[in-house]
Amino acid sequence: MPKPVVDKEAMIQLLETIRSTFPHLEMRLECNHPDVDLKLDIPRQHGMKFDVNVNLQDDELHLSAGHFWLEWFPCSDAAVVEAFRKAVHGLLSGELRILEYYRGKRAIKAELQRPYRGGWETMGTWSRPSLPFPWRVITKELRNTVT
């Protein structure tokens, strides 16, 4: 199967737009990373309670923060790219949050959530297989205070 054709310049522009929206945040863009096509690292800093990584791998845009990790694809679809951009902006601004679930000290699930009708709605979920041990599940909220 042929490798998908991705407009790398458009993806660089997407990452530059994220950087320009939050000019007070330190961000490192790598256009020639050996493992991914593009990589934007946003380290923990004032207003940021956790590191964020955004990257392009073939035709997939990836977002990872804390124990959360999710991909959006294909990045040739403008609606997919816009949903990804909104997720990154929302997470960086503090509008969105990540809710992590732990059994003991092990993270078993993480959800990207947005405000919805006075509560929260899950937009995406990362999880790993977990046996239902008798330990209770503890949740931890990751939410930035960047404005």
Side-chain angles (χ1 to χ4, degrees), residues 2-14:
K3 187 175 181 178
V5 177
V6 174
D7 183 350
K8 190 171 179 181
E9 288 304 314
M11 296 300 103
I12 291 171
Q13 183 58 44
L14 170 68

Side-chain angles (χ1 to χ4, degrees), residues 43-63:
R44 179 183 299 173
Q45 55 197 286
H46 179 72
M48 294 277 299
K49 298 190 177 187
F50 47 88
D51 297 334
V52 174
N53 173 269
V54 173
N55 66 69
L56 171 69
Q57 298 178 38
D58 296 324
D59 68 340
E60 301 173 353
L61 289 162
H62 294 251
L63 170 62

Side-chain angles (χ1 to χ4, degrees), residues 3 18 23 31-33 37 41 51 55 67 80 90 99-100 105 109 124 129 144:
K3 187 175 181 178
I18 292 168
C31 297
N32 296 307
H33 194 275
D37 298 304
D41 283 320
D51 297 334
N55 66 69
H67 288 286
V80 169
L99 195 59
E100 295 181 332
K105 293 185 181 195
K109 184 166 81 168
N144 285 322

Side-chain angles (χ1 to χ4, degrees), residues 81-99:
V81 173
E82 181 60 13
F84 177 79
R85 186 196 64 75
K86 286 181 177 180
V88 174
H89 281 224
L91 188 60
L92 293 177
S93 71
E95 176 188 347
L96 305 181
R97 73 177 186 178
I98 294 172
L99 195 59

